[in-house]
Amino acid sequence: MAQCKLSNCREEAVQGGKRYCAHHMAEYKRKQREYLEVQKTLPNCICCGEKLTKTAHDGGQTTCSDCIAKKEVLDRQLKRQARIEAAFAEKMQALDDAGSVDDLKSWIKRYMTSNT
Ligand SMILES: [Zn+2]
Ligand SMILES: [Zn+2]
């Protein structure tokens, strides 16, 4: 007979008990039941409807990690887009504000000779 797979346990493993002894098999089943009970209480992701993990739910999240990752990518793209638009608006505003040839020269120096 095989021994219980827990290293600190010397009991014999029960048949069909995933190599646990009777005592640890009962404990394993209890934990599994508790796990399933917790699963039932977990809400679904508000984005895709998948079950949230307990860690995500305990952390106060309402979306699953997949949706969070997707959202981060989207946020980064939107921020980059916003930065580009803001830089362009600033450039056009500076051109509007240029009232003299010197202003125009410095505008050209500032915006046409740099890579930004
Ligand atoms: Zn055991
Ligand atoms: Zn999701």
Side-chain angles (χ1 to χ4, degrees):
M1 264 305 247
Q3 234 176 39
C4 173
K5 72 174 169 186
L6 296 182
S7 53
N8 58 354
C9 177
R10 303 238 166 269
E11 299 289 314
E12 269 187 4
V14 291
Q15 286 285 334
K18 292 183 188 286
R19 288 183 50 229
Y20 283 113
C21 66
H23 169 70
H24 284 124
M25 187 58 201
E27 197 164 287
Y28 169 79
K29 279 188 173 158
R30 184 177 57 77
K31 277 187 184 157
Q32 200 178 36
R33 252 198 321 274
E34 278 174 10
Y35 173 78
L36 290 174
E37 281 306 308
V38 169
Q39 287 296 301
K40 267 188 234 162
T41 67
L42 290 173
N44 294 330
C45 167
I46 55 165
C47 261
C48 66
E50 289 288 322
K51 200 71 130 168
L52 283 185
T53 62
K54 191 172 182 316
T55 334
H57 181 58
D58 288 350
Q61 291 168 14
T62 49
T63 49
C64 69
S65 49
D66 275 359
C67 289
I68 288 172
K70 272 183 221 152
K71 192 175 172 302
E72 274 171 8
V73 171
L74 195 69
D75 277 357
R76 265 202 301 279
Q77 283 171 349
L78 288 175
K79 270 186 197 144
R80 212 178 75 221
Q81 188 62 32
R83 263 202 310 277
I84 292 168
E85 279 167 15
F88 183 75
E90 189 195 294
K91 181 174 164 178
M92 289 301 111
Q93 185 60 50
L95 181 61
D96 278 348
D97 290 347
S100 66
V101 174
D102 280 347
D103 281 352
L104 226 79
K105 276 185 188 164
S106 59
W107 183 88
I108 291 167
K109 251 183 229 156
R110 171 146 187 223
Y111 291 106
M112 306 311 269
T113 58
S114 72
N115 292 321
T116 52

